[in-house]
Amino acid sequence: MSHNPYPNPARESTPSGQLSLGVFFQGVNSGTIWKSAESGSQTDFESFRRLAQTAERGLFSAFFLGEGLRLREHLGRPHALDVAGRPDAQTALAALAAVTSHIGLVATQNTTYNDPADLAHRLSSLDLISGGRAAWNIVTTDNAWTGANFRRGGYLDHADRYVHAEAFVQTAKRIWDAWDEDAVASSPSADRWAAPGAVRRVHHTGRHYTVDVTPGLPRSAQYRPVLFQAGDSPDGRDFAARQADVIFSAHPQLEDALQFRRDIVERTLKAGRGANDVKIMPASEFILAATPEEALEKKAWVRELQIGPQQAIAYLEQFWGRELQGFDPDGPLPEIDPVVEETSETRGSGFHGAKARQLADQWRAEAKEKGLSIRQFVSAKTSRGDSTFTGSYAEVADRLAEYARTGAVDGFNISPWLIPSGLDDIVNHLVPALQERGVYPSEYAGTTLRENLGLATPVRPVAAAEAVANAVRV
Amino acid sequence: MSQASQNHPGQGHALLLLELDGAGAHPAAWRASRSRPEAVLTPARLRDVILAAESAGFHGATIADGRLPEGPDAAARLNALQRAAFAGPITRSIALIPEVDTVYTEPFHISTQLASLDYVSGGRAGWLVAASTSSADAAAVGRETVRGGRLAQEAADAIEVSRRLWDSWEDDAVIRDVPTGRYLDVDKLHYSDFEGGNYAVKGPSIVPRPLQGQLPVLAPAGLLAPEELVAGAVDGLLVSAPTPELLSAELTETREALAAFGAGAAPALIAELDVVLDARGQAAAERLAALDAHTPWDSTRARFLGTATGLTELLAEVLAVADGVRLHPAVLDTDLEELSRLVLPELRRRGILAPVVLDASFRDQLGLARPASRHAATPAAGN
Ligand SMILES: Cc1cc2nc3c(=O)[nH]c(=O)nc-3n(C[C@H](O)[C@H](O)[C@H](O)COP(=O)(O)O)c2cc1C
């Protein structure tokens, strides 16, 4: 054994030495290549089926679908350049449940534009329909612009999003805890379908609305849906440390990942949970080939197709707040100034809010100093260098083995840049390489997502505590 | 929009729909089932039942949603839209028609979920519109119970929102134009800008236009105001009468009433019928009595009790004036088997039923053309 340059992230946490993989089918994004001959449909069910079944062949633990509740806009109109248009997550996952048998089905769902009783019920339903494979990736996007599609409109202050989300998730958990184990009759000759008193009513009074419901579905084979959280602010991390089973993180680089692990372990312990109770799976992109040289060539090809000349100009337009079509993508950054005070990156992918003028000055200086054209500059700015693993299968497998050994992460959530064939090389070549190194399973641990992620079964809170929770305004 | 149905009742175009919920339509059906009570919540059972319905030759399956009435037989129920979605990839011909509430749900979510159902089923999705009157449903989302005329308004608004969102992407909005770098033609995306009495929905949809363009929308007769029906809000009406004898008369009256309101838009009329058949050496009346001893089957629909032959005769009669029938079998395990062995083959032999066509859309089955988006430029105008 060689000297370990990476001590355990925290004494309390124990690396499992194993990695799991998830796949993130990106419905709306600039990373998916649609210009190549190999690019398939982003909406045909066949694309979803193929990706999910390939992932299952590769023993992936999870298949993710994202969510965006308003179509992205650029300069006040829907954004023309990026892939857009995707199915409702839970509907697509219910269909995938019928054509897969082991892979977890993760639906990104927003706490701001759903009602807790309704969302909890639908997630339970997905969990049962998949035999205990459902998960909820909790997101908290809130703004009046998205709210314009919903009954309540933009009713929530940004500062309150996690307060609201936490009350929402606690209510959902109480809904999932409401049925006793073995509540349902075991034979058709029983007196009742559900045992009397086996289901508790859930009442919650909150700032924004009240919930009063007798939950309608029993537990699934994994008790309740697994909870993922995606969101990186300190509030988001604390929320995850208190409530989530897994974090869908944005920290794949080894040093950074270890740092993030330490931070999460600390927060999890502070929240009164075990150090390993929250798993971490960063978002990542893989560009792989038989040799390191081929992989680098492939990377150049991928980037070329991801950021074309129009994408480069459009990227600047969102910070300048004006059309820049007259500028040469292969020339220098525009000398004209932004027309906006504050930048707002393409609506729907987050808000920047930096001072536009300052940012423009800074970028012009940076591009000049490095001698970069618009296209080169944007390519550098948007390249997901941080989250990209490039190299030969063996090389990347060695790097990933290091993550397993140090416990920096529990796995990776892969965003393929090609649909629907984007996992083929990973499953055919990387997975066997990881298995050879002993850091990847050779069979599914079980049939539920909880089993396959190595998560403990939740324990239902004792009745007394619950009675208090029912009486108290949360 | 629905056109006057080209299907002439009784002319070999009739549709048979099956209500496919839980262990059957009778509240105590689970007591007469072969499987364990919890089986209604398992993927294996869902698969078996939907495949049995498809292979029996039913044109469509409706799937009920919402809470079951309280009592010793109250079972749990999976979300209807998800059950329909689950059935999508494992079936080829049967239309999948979940019931979805319009009052306590988010219309934007309903619209995108239904559009997605159309994708996962290859264009075989429909929507059975419901308007919940339950105060429990209202309390669950912290709202006042909606009653009276506002129910119809909520339903009409939700249908309108969905129809606008389904049209908000023109069919050819995804252009994948490499030279200009555009994935979308933004001129072919449209805001819905719906403003009703209670809420507004901006749009466009986040899902491209459904495969069928517009999903067929079914609603119980009496839910929506006649003006909504004439304006083409729904493509099919479920017509109910208290007894089998009165069904034909009710259908004829409904058809005349719609015609009197005018405008030519005529939804397909689908008759509602509860069914208990003589089976496995037991008379239907006996089977019903045994089930009713646990929880009586309260239903406002006409009910047929008797032999498969008797049912076949009744259906032939009803289908002479209806475009279709929706059957609610008391116990799926038992009645679906009888229907599939004895009733459907005979109706097919008599040439009453529309053929079962692999990969046909639900619109195809209803004889409805695929509509262009309301925003699509007419071909002559070019673009
Ligand atoms: C890896 C990752 C994936 C995400 N996917 C989605 C998504 O699909 N839909 C969405 O609305 N937000 C998504 N988010 C956004 C987060 O839910 C959250 O709203 C955002 O990060 C702001 O929260 P924060 O301030 O805690 O970082 C994602 C975030 C991360 C880090």
Side-chain angles (χ1 to χ4, degrees):
Chain A
M1 268 260 152
S2 63
H3 167 69
N4 178 2
Y6 304 108
N8 271 354
R11 226 177 341 160
E12 296 84 351
S13 104
T14 316
S16 70
Q18 292 288 300
L19 297 175
S20 54
L21 295 176
V23 54
F24 190 54
F25 188 119
Q26 301 198 90
V28 171
N29 68 97
S30 55
T32 304
I33 292 172
W34 52 264
K35 296 171 189 171
S36 147
E38 299 158 77
S39 315
S41 167
Q42 287 282 132
T43 37
D44 285 356
F45 183 68
E46 275 313 304
S47 296
F48 294 83
R49 183 211 298 266
R50 165 125 183 239
L51 209 61
Q53 290 181 341
T54 304
E56 192 162 81
R57 180 163 61 82
L59 306 173
F60 277 43
S61 54
F63 179 94
F64 278 70
L65 288 174
E67 183 194 60
L69 295 173
R70 185 156 169 188
L71 213 55
R72 286 207 284 182
E73 288 184 359
H74 178 66
L75 302 181
R77 303 187 74 194
H79 191 40
L81 301 181
D82 292 351
V83 165
R86 56 178 160 194
D88 169 72
Q90 289 201 57
T91 309
L93 294 174
L96 287 173
V99 294
T100 56
S101 57
H102 287 75
I103 194 166
L105 303 167
V106 192
T108 301
Q109 302 273 277
N110 192 295
T111 51
T112 308
Y113 305 107
N114 278 294
D115 289 301
D118 175 57
L119 185 64
H121 180 76
R122 283 190 291 123
L123 286 163
S124 272
S125 179
L126 181 66
D127 205 14
L128 287 159
I129 230 171
S130 61
R133 294 189 279 138
W136 173 18
N137 181 34
I138 305 164
V139 296
T140 57
T141 307
D142 61 278
N143 52 64
W145 179 77
T146 305
N149 281 333
F150 297 96
R151 285 181 185 266
R152 287 192 174 85
Y155 68 98
L156 189 66
D157 278 350
H158 185 66
D160 288 341
R161 71 198 190 286
Y162 279 114
V163 177
H164 176 79
E166 190 139 2
F168 190 119
V169 172
Q170 280 171 349
T171 305
K173 283 184 175 172
R174 285 168 55 207
I175 288 172
W176 295 324
D177 286 338
W179 283 61
D180 279 347
E181 201 177 341
D182 301 327
V184 181
S186 55
S187 112
S189 55
D191 284 346
R192 304 173 62 92
W193 194 88
V199 185
R200 274 156 298 274
R201 193 167 145 188
V202 173
H203 185 75
H204 163 81
T205 304
R207 274 264 292 291
H208 302 288
Y209 45 77
T210 61
V211 178
D212 180 1
V213 67
T214 306
L217 285 170
R219 298 178 190 182
S220 74
Q222 62 170 357
Y223 190 121
R224 67 178 181 220
V226 170
L227 299 183
F228 283 72
Q229 183 269 2
D232 203 28
S233 60
D235 284 352
R237 293 182 186 196
D238 277 334
F239 166 66
R242 285 191 295 266
Q243 301 294 345
D245 299 305
V246 189
I247 298 182
F248 181 8
S249 85
H251 302 275
Q253 293 246 332
L254 191 55
E255 282 297 331
D256 190 25
L258 282 163
Q259 188 63 40
F260 185 74
R261 166 73 81 189
R262 284 185 202 103
D263 184 56
I264 294 302
V265 165
E266 205 173 292
R267 289 175 199 265
T268 308
L269 291 170
K270 211 179 286 172
R273 301 174 69 192
N276 298 317
D277 282 7
V278 182
K279 308 278 178 197
I280 300 174
M281 291 177 80
S284 55
E285 180 194 49
F286 286 80
I287 303 179
L288 308 173
T291 66
E293 296 73 29
E294 281 172 75
L296 282 175
E297 264 173 53
K298 194 161 164 184
K299 182 171 177 178
W301 175 79
V302 169
R303 292 288 180 255
E304 176 84 18
L305 286 170
Q306 284 171 330
I307 302 290
Q310 300 89 356
Q311 279 81 10
I313 297 287
Y315 182 79
L316 293 189
E317 284 176 342
Q318 50 193 17
F319 296 93
W320 262 252
R322 66 196 297 170
E323 285 211 17
L324 300 170
Q325 295 301 325
F327 289 86
D328 176 6
D330 294 317
L333 264 60
E335 279 305 330
I336 59 170
D337 280 325
V339 295
V340 289
E341 283 296 309
E342 300 243 314
T343 65
S344 86
E345 201 185 331
T346 299
R347 303 197 79 153
S349 61
F351 295 88
H352 259 230
K355 293 274 170 260
R357 181 79 181 268
Q358 255 172 18
L359 191 79
D361 285 343
Q362 202 182 307
W363 281 5
R364 277 191 288 250
E366 189 183 331
K368 198 163 180 182
E369 189 196 313
K370 295 180 181 162
L372 299 178
S373 68
I374 290 179
R375 209 165 155 182
Q376 290 163 330
F377 180 80
V378 173
S379 191
K381 273 275 170 251
T382 55
S383 98
R384 299 174 299 165
D386 284 0
S387 57
T388 303
F389 292 87
T390 310
S392 70
Y393 304 117
E395 235 176 26
V396 171
D398 284 338
R399 281 171 68 194
L400 297 191
E402 194 64 6
Y403 283 79
R405 199 173 59 73
T406 58
V409 302
D410 296 286
F412 294 91
N413 206 5
I414 301 172
S415 302
W417 37 266
L418 206 55
I419 299 295
S421 61
L423 283 186
D424 293 2
D425 59 349
I426 291 168
V427 167
N428 295 339
H429 301 291
L430 183 65
V431 163
L434 292 172
Q435 286 166 331
E436 273 166 34
R437 285 158 181 76
V439 296
Y440 193 80
S442 51
E443 59 186 25
Y444 278 109
T447 59
T448 69
L449 177 57
R450 213 172 275 288
E451 288 171 282
N452 289 320
L453 287 171
L455 293 165
T457 304
V459 179
R460 201 172 78 80
V462 292
E466 189 177 54
V468 173
N470 272 314
V472 163
R473 287 164 72 103
V474 183
Chain B
M1 301 299 114
S2 66
Q3 294 299 316
S5 173
Q6 298 133 31
N7 295 345
H8 303 289
Q11 304 288 308
H13 296 287
L15 297 184
L16 279 188
L17 308 184
L18 178 70
E19 166 53 31
L20 205 55
D21 185 46
H26 195 291
W30 66 279
R31 297 180 183 278
S33 289
R34 284 182 293 244
S35 36
R36 284 160 54 92
E38 218 163 353
V40 293
L41 307 174
T42 63
R45 165 82 187 182
L46 289 175
R47 185 186 306 266
D48 288 350
V49 173
I50 189 71
L51 292 179
E54 183 170 70
S55 58
F58 281 95
H59 300 95
T62 61
I63 306 173
D65 204 36
R67 190 173 295 276
L68 287 155
E70 278 177 34
D73 287 320
R77 184 184 254 170
L78 296 168
N79 176 269
L81 202 136
Q82 288 181 8
R83 278 181 283 163
F86 179 92
I90 55 175
T91 50
R92 285 288 298 281
S93 64
I94 195 164
L96 302 166
I97 313 156
E99 179 184 305
V100 183
D101 174 52
T102 50
V103 182
Y104 301 108
T105 43
E106 282 291 350
F108 190 85
H109 289 322
I110 296 177
S111 138
T112 58
Q113 287 164 12
L114 287 164
S116 306
L117 176 62
D118 207 36
Y119 278 99
V120 304
S121 64
R124 289 180 285 118
W127 175 15
L128 175 50
V129 173
S132 170
T133 54
S134 144
S135 53
D137 287 350
V141 298
R143 284 174 51 201
E144 297 280 302
T145 311
V146 171
R147 292 184 206 288
R150 272 195 54 204
L151 274 177
Q153 194 54 51
E154 289 278 2
D157 284 356
I159 295 170
E160 177 63 14
V161 168
S162 274
R163 289 201 181 278
R164 286 193 195 199
L165 287 168
W166 293 335
D167 274 350
S168 67
W169 290 53
E170 293 182 40
D171 287 318
D172 47 359
V174 175
I175 50 172
R176 301 167 81 117
D177 188 50
V178 175
T180 61
R182 290 180 309 151
Y183 183 83
L184 300 173
D185 179 349
V186 175
D187 291 336
K188 295 186 173 173
L189 296 177
H190 306 273
Y191 291 99
S192 322
D193 284 327
F194 173 83
E195 295 208 22
N198 302 309
Y199 58 87
V201 175
K202 181 73 187 169
S205 181
I206 48 172
V207 186
R209 195 156 189 258
L211 297 177
Q212 296 181 90
Q214 289 277 327
L215 272 63
V217 178
L218 312 183
L223 172 60
L224 294 161
E227 302 77 50
E228 299 288 349
L229 300 181
V230 170
V234 303
D235 305 286
L237 275 184
L238 298 166
V239 178
S240 213
T243 67
E245 294 72 34
L246 294 172
L247 253 185
S248 296
E250 184 65 31
L251 287 156
T252 308
E253 269 174 44
T254 307
R255 201 176 291 286
E256 284 168 3
L258 284 168
F261 259 95
L269 299 188
I270 296 162
E272 295 267 57
L273 190 65
D274 289 346
V275 172
V276 194
L277 292 173
D278 295 357
R280 301 175 192 176
Q282 251 196 320
E286 240 177 276
R287 289 183 51 219
L288 180 62
L291 293 167
D292 275 354
H294 294 284
T295 300
W297 190 9
D298 279 331
S299 150
T300 55
R301 296 177 291 263
R303 179 171 304 163
F304 175 86
L305 288 168
T307 64
T309 316
L311 177 63
T312 309
E313 293 308 324
L314 173 65
L315 290 175
E317 206 177 290
V318 171
L319 288 171
V321 281
D323 303 292
V325 171
R326 175 165 76 140
L327 299 177
H328 300 253
V331 178
L332 281 168
D333 275 351
T334 314
D335 294 293
L336 178 52
E337 196 173 271
E338 298 299 309
L339 289 166
S340 136
R341 278 196 319 126
L342 301 171
V343 180
L344 273 73
E346 177 58 15
L347 291 172
R348 267 198 298 274
R349 202 189 56 75
R350 294 194 198 180
I352 295 168
L353 300 183
V356 168
V357 183
L358 287 187
D359 302 322
S361 73
F362 188 26
R363 292 191 77 86
D364 290 341
Q365 293 198 10
L366 285 164
L368 300 170
R370 187 181 186 285
S373 159
R374 68 193 66 194
H375 304 289
T378 54
N383 208 339

